[in-house]
């Protein structure tokens, strides 16, 4: 397993969750993998596909996603192809013949391709060992990007005669969506693999500025060497912001559904191939765009739900380097999404669900708690939380209220209860309320009953949330328990600060830079990568990611043996790509 990973992809170890998913697939079990954006979902079907042999069918929602994935595989010396409407009849026939000849290991198709009877008959003749559902949240009605065609294809997959495993992969699935996917694909609960949504290289920021256009222009000009995506809610805003950037000498392109297929493809390629560094787009852009060196994602408007926001923001920093995810928020954004929901032709249940999701999104823009922890809690309520210490809320200098005394009272109350209780019951006891349940449990006899009677329910919720987000309290199915680290508070080893309960403060946006890299060499290596990209007609990051180039610029390897130890350098790339980079590094070192 590790040998396959190292040989083709240049990595010595798997990321969290990958090995477990691959092991289950090799054992012929259907699996659901929920990994964060940029967490290496593709590896989860590519490695077992290579190990199992035969043909792996990858069901993918977008043409752009297919092309990127196929380019990446070919760049690693792996045979892959896609069948979709962008190909001519002659090109499709050639690929079909290659499939029958056993010359293609990975075939990418859209779910609609299964409506074609000839394609189904072709599949019957292939040695299929694995079927992968990429962006699997599209399967569920409750997913943020539901596509009926994804549900329709499931029955046709199950009707295929071959004996194969199924893997479904997504980054943005709530517990409800995960359950729905597993039910439809016959995946057992024991075969669900989830990892944390945390991506510590992403710095989340919310900025309620009224001068959005000025903010974007200033930010982009301060990050002139960096690639980024700016999302707007409407086509009109995309075009206006694009014009403003061009007027300020920022080379950018636009992407939205109102452009022709050719215009969209050109815009996407200009961005992926580093011909422009900024793309201004609606949410029509980005799913599956495999450009690992996106250093910032700015949302010009608030999205309608947390899933969309996290997926779009998560397109930053896929190479693991520090990247900014900035949400510019205005109250006007709320009305637009309320209009989208009310004018939808969906049923009332769906509208209600979308309304709930919008409420959660609004809460994210207004919370004073850690933004990363807020996102983690949304997708996995039972995960232990901790503050990231880098989001705009964590670095904000407004946690001036020492709540250590209140923290001790809350912890003492929870510790004295004879069983684990929910937020609501704990607050009632602290406030000294008398209910039948409190009397039945004899909580009214506790010394902590009414110990915080002068605090409102809202105050106590704020204080308990602060302890929860700092990791002093843990939550499991809405039940709160004390973490072992509360001893440090009770023993006066630590103090806890929070925001004054009703005070508002202004946000600051800090700038993060990468240190320890020889920037002059890095720029030269980028030039080498660009030339190789143009010669091979593949995206620059398919040659090597920014992360790998930065490692080259830090370590200055002198031989292929030095290079193979760097993440992202596999046997194929070592042989075909590395000589050019070694030559550049040696030449550079000779001049300094």
């Amino acid at each position: 397993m590790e040998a396959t990973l190292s040989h083709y992809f240049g990595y010595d170890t798997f990321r969290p969750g990958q090995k477990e998913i691959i092991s289950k697939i090799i054992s012929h079990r259907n699996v659901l993998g929920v990994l964060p954006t940029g967490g290496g979902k593709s590896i989860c079907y590519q490695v077992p596909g290579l190990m199992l042999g035969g043909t792996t069918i990858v069901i993918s929602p977008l043409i752009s996603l297919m092309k990127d994935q196929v380019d990446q595989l070919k760049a690693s010396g792996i045979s892959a192809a896609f069948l979709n409407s962008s190909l001519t009849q002659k090109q499709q026939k050639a690929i079909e013949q290659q499939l029958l000849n056993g010359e293609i290991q990975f075939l990418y198709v859209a779910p609609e391709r299964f409506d074609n009877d000839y394609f189904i008959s072709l599949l019957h003749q292939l040695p299929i060992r694995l079927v992968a559902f990429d962006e699997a949240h599209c399967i569920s009605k409750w997913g943020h990007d539901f596509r009926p065609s994804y549900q329709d294809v499931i029955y046709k997959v199950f009707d295929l005669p071959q004996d194969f495993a199924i893997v479904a992969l997504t980054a943005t699935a709530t517990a409800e969506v995960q359950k729905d996917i597993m039910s439809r694909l016959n995946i057992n609960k024991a075969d669900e693999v989830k990892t944390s949504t945390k991506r510590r290289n992403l710095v989340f920021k919310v900025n309620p500025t009224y001068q959005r256009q000025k903010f974007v222009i200033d930010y982009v000009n301060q990050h002139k060497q960096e690639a980024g995506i700016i999302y707007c809610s409407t086509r009109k805003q995309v075009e206006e912001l694009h014009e403003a950037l061009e007027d300020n000498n920022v080379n950018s392109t636009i992407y939205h559904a109102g452009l022709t297929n050719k215009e969209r493809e050109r815009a996407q390629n200009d961005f992926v191939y580093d011909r422009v560094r900024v793309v201004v787009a609606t949410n029509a852009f980005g799913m599956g765009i495999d450009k690992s060196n996106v250093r910032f994602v700015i949302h010009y408007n608030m999205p309608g739900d947390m899933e969309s926001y996290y997926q779009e923001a998560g397109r930053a920093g896929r190479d693991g380097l520090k990247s900014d995810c900035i949400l510019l928020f205005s109250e006007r954004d709320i009305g637009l999404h309320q209009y989208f929901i009310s004018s939808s032709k969906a049923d009332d249940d769906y509208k209600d669900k979308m309304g709930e999701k919008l409420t959660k999104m609004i809460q994210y823009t207004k919370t004073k708690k850690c933004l990363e922890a807020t996102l983690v809690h949304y997708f996995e309520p039972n995960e232990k939380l901790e503050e990231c210490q880098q989001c705009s809320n964590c670095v904000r200098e407004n946690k001036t209220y020492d709540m250590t005394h209140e923290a001790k009272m809350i912890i003492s109350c929870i510790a004295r209860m004879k069983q684990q209780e929910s937020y609501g019951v704990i607050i009632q006891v602290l406030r000294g309320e008398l209910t039948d349940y409190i009397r039945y449990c004899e909580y009214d006899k506790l010394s902590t009953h009414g110990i915080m009677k002068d605090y409102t329910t809202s105050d106590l919720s704020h204080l308990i949330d602060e302890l929860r987000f700092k990791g002093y309290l843990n939550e499991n199915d809405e039940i709160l328990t004390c973490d072992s680290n509360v001893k440090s508070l009770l023993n006066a080893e630590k103090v806890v600060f929070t925001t004054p309960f009703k005070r508002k403060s202004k946000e600051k946006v800090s700038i993060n830079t990468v240190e320890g890299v020889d920037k002059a060499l890095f720029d030269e290596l980028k030039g080498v990568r660009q030339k190789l990209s143009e010669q091979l007609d593949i995206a620059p990051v398919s040659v090597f990611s920014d992360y790998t180039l930065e490692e080259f610029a830090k370590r200055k390897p002198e031989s292929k043996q030095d290079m193979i130890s760097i993440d992202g350098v596999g046997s194929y790339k070592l042989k075909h790509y590395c000589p050019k980079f070694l030559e550049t590094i040696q030449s550079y070192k000779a001049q300094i």
Side-chain angles (χ1 to χ4, degrees):
M1 197 182 296
E2 280 83 358
T4 302
L5 179 74
S6 176
H7 178 76
Y8 287 102
F9 304 104
Y11 299 103
D12 292 328
T13 56
F14 288 101
R15 293 183 185 179
Q18 287 179 331
K19 189 170 184 178
E20 189 179 353
I21 292 169
I22 293 166
S23 298
K24 288 177 182 291
I25 293 170
I26 298 296
S27 301
H28 210 74
R29 286 149 72 177
N30 293 349
V31 189
L32 169 63
V34 183
L35 282 73
T37 303
K41 292 184 290 298
S42 302
I43 291 287
C44 294
Y45 62 79
Q46 289 168 351
V47 168
L50 290 164
M51 293 175 68
L52 291 168
T55 305
T56 294
I57 306 297
V58 185
I59 301 169
S60 179
L62 287 179
I63 290 173
S64 58
L65 185 152
M66 298 180 202
K67 184 180 185 306
D68 285 347
Q69 293 285 0
V70 168
D71 285 348
Q72 289 274 8
L73 287 170
K74 286 181 175 178
S76 297
I78 299 166
S79 59
F82 57 79
L83 282 173
N84 61 40
S85 58
S86 72
L87 301 177
T88 65
Q89 205 66 24
K90 185 178 179 181
Q91 288 171 322
Q92 291 188 40
K93 288 295 180 189
I95 290 169
E96 288 163 2
Q97 190 56 54
Q98 285 179 292
L99 284 163
L100 292 170
N101 293 344
E103 296 170 7
I104 292 175
Q105 294 167 284
F106 292 87
L107 177 68
Y108 288 76
V109 293
E112 291 80 7
R113 176 73 41 174
F114 283 77
D115 295 335
N116 184 312
D117 290 339
Y118 177 77
F119 177 69
I120 295 292
S121 68
L122 174 68
L123 290 181
H124 277 249
Q125 302 172 65
L126 302 180
I128 298 172
R129 301 283 182 268
L130 176 63
V131 175
F133 285 84
D134 205 4
E135 307 292 348
H137 54 272
C138 296
I139 289 172
S140 174
K141 178 180 178 181
W142 305 121
H144 68 285
D145 200 14
F146 170 56
R147 300 185 182 209
S149 58
Y150 250 65
Q151 285 189 0
D152 297 340
V153 79
I154 292 171
Y155 308 105
K156 295 169 184 176
V157 167
F158 282 143
D159 281 344
L160 292 172
Q162 297 92 333
D163 187 19
F164 52 79
I166 289 174
V167 59
L169 296 159
T170 181
T172 49
T174 59
E176 182 179 36
V177 172
Q178 292 165 27
K179 186 177 178 182
D180 194 11
I181 294 169
M182 289 191 289
S183 171
R184 294 179 185 279
L185 293 178
N186 293 341
I187 297 171
N188 296 322
K189 181 65 179 171
D191 293 319
E192 178 186 26
V193 179
K194 294 191 290 186
T195 62
S196 175
T197 55
K198 289 177 189 171
R199 286 178 59 198
R200 278 297 160 85
N201 65 307
L202 298 187
V203 182
F204 291 97
K205 302 172 184 180
V206 173
N207 191 326
T209 179
Y210 288 100
Q211 296 179 301
R212 289 194 260 203
Q213 193 176 101
K214 181 180 185 303
F215 174 89
V216 169
I217 292 167
D218 289 346
Y219 182 93
V220 171
N221 279 326
Q222 289 164 7
H223 297 76
K224 288 187 175 178
Q225 300 304 313
E226 298 177 355
I229 305 170
I230 304 167
Y231 283 107
C232 301
S233 288
T234 66
R235 300 175 192 179
K236 185 176 181 226
Q237 284 177 324
V238 166
E239 290 168 0
E240 287 176 350
L241 183 57
H242 170 63
E243 284 183 21
L245 289 170
E246 293 291 309
D247 289 345
N248 284 271
N249 301 315
V250 175
N251 189 15
S252 64
T253 189
I254 62 172
Y255 190 107
H256 59 64
L259 303 175
T260 65
N261 288 339
K262 201 166 188 179
E263 288 171 326
R264 288 201 300 272
E265 185 178 356
R266 187 190 308 120
Q268 178 180 312
N269 287 338
D270 283 348
F271 183 63
V272 171
Y273 285 80
D274 290 347
R275 290 190 284 267
V276 298
R277 66 185 181 91
V278 177
V279 60
V280 187
T282 61
N283 62 5
F285 177 79
M287 185 186 282
I289 297 298
D290 200 0
K291 182 177 173 64
S292 63
N293 62 339
V294 175
R295 290 277 77 82
F296 61 87
V297 171
I298 298 174
H299 278 81
Y300 201 67
N301 310 94
M302 180 191 74
D305 56 78
M306 296 277 273
E307 293 95 323
S308 298
Y309 175 66
Y310 182 68
Q311 185 177 61
E312 290 159 12
R315 287 169 190 144
R318 292 190 177 196
D319 52 11
L321 301 179
K322 282 283 187 203
S323 305
D324 283 344
C325 304
I326 303 172
L327 173 56
L328 305 180
F329 169 71
S330 165
E331 295 291 335
R332 293 191 296 264
D333 297 335
I334 298 172
L336 181 64
H337 288 293
Q338 288 173 333
Y339 169 76
F340 287 155
I341 294 169
S342 63
S343 61
S344 166
K345 294 179 181 177
D347 58 40
D348 288 342
D349 281 349
Y350 186 79
K351 287 183 178 181
D352 288 344
K353 181 67 69 175
M354 292 306 102
E356 291 171 14
K357 288 177 180 287
L358 177 58
T359 298
K360 293 284 187 185
M361 188 70 242
I362 296 167
Q363 289 171 349
Y364 174 84
T365 67
K366 296 180 182 297
T367 185
K368 295 175 182 176
K369 305 294 188 299
C370 171
L371 294 174
E372 180 190 82
T374 302
L375 284 162
V376 169
H377 188 252
Y378 178 79
F379 287 104
E380 186 44 68
N382 295 337
E383 185 170 340
K384 177 175 170 55
L385 301 179
E386 57 182 338
E387 293 178 323
C388 70
Q389 303 299 336
Q390 62 182 10
C391 73
S392 56
N393 282 355
C394 284
V395 302
R396 195 189 284 173
E397 297 174 358
N398 68 340
K399 295 205 170 185
T400 56
Y401 182 87
D402 185 345
M403 60 167 281
T404 310
H405 178 62
E406 285 94 337
K408 289 179 179 178
M409 289 192 284
I410 293 167
I411 291 164
S412 297
C413 182
I414 294 172
R416 283 173 169 75
M417 290 179 165
K418 65 181 181 182
Q419 62 192 33
Q420 295 175 351
E421 297 290 359
S422 66
Y423 269 76
V425 172
I426 293 165
I427 289 173
Q428 286 176 336
V429 174
L430 287 166
R431 281 178 43 76
E433 295 180 20
L434 290 171
T435 65
D436 290 342
Y437 181 75
I438 286 173
R439 288 192 178 97
Y440 172 76
C441 294
E442 298 186 336
Y443 290 154
D444 55 322
K445 297 179 181 177
L446 295 178
S447 60
T448 50
H449 182 257
I451 196 172
M452 301 183 76
K453 62 180 182 296
D454 295 330
Y455 292 78
T456 66
T457 298
S458 175
D459 291 342
L460 290 172
S461 292
H462 172 85
L463 293 165
I464 290 172
D465 278 345
E466 192 74 65
L467 292 174
R468 171 84 176 92
F469 276 69
K470 290 181 185 298
Y472 290 111
L473 298 178
N474 297 325
E475 182 179 352
N476 195 291
D477 295 335
E478 299 183 0
I479 300 299
L480 285 177
T481 55
C482 293
D483 193 84
S484 59
N485 64 10
V486 298
K487 292 175 184 175
S488 62
L489 284 177
L490 298 175
N491 296 336
E493 295 169 10
K494 287 192 176 178
V495 294
V496 188
F497 285 89
T498 187
T499 53
F501 301 169
K502 295 178 182 177
R503 175 183 159 191
K504 293 183 179 178
S505 58
K506 193 172 179 181
E507 195 124 1
K508 294 179 185 175
V509 178
S510 58
I511 298 169
N512 290 277
T513 57
V514 178
E515 296 178 358
V517 177
D518 188 325
K519 286 294 183 185
L521 175 56
F522 178 69
D523 289 339
E524 284 194 32
L525 295 174
K526 280 174 69 177
V528 174
R529 181 177 67 178
Q530 187 66 36
K531 286 180 183 175
L532 272 174
S533 159
E534 290 164 2
Q535 289 169 14
L536 300 168
D537 194 27
I538 59 176
V541 294
S542 293
V543 179
F544 286 122
S545 70
D546 275 17
Y547 174 84
T548 302
L549 291 193
E550 287 199 352
E551 288 300 301
F552 288 173
K554 283 180 188 175
R555 302 190 199 182
K556 300 183 178 67
E558 297 181 350
S559 65
K560 287 186 177 181
Q561 286 73 25
D562 293 339
M563 280 191 158
I564 195 68
S565 67
I566 294 173
D567 277 355
V569 181
S571 300
Y572 182 87
K573 292 187 178 184
L574 186 71
K575 179 180 178 182
H576 293 88
Y577 304 162
C578 284
K580 291 280 186 188
F581 290 93
L582 276 172
E583 187 181 313
T584 302
I585 293 166
Q586 288 163 359
S587 173
Y588 180 84
K589 288 171 74 175
Q591 296 171 23
I592 59 175

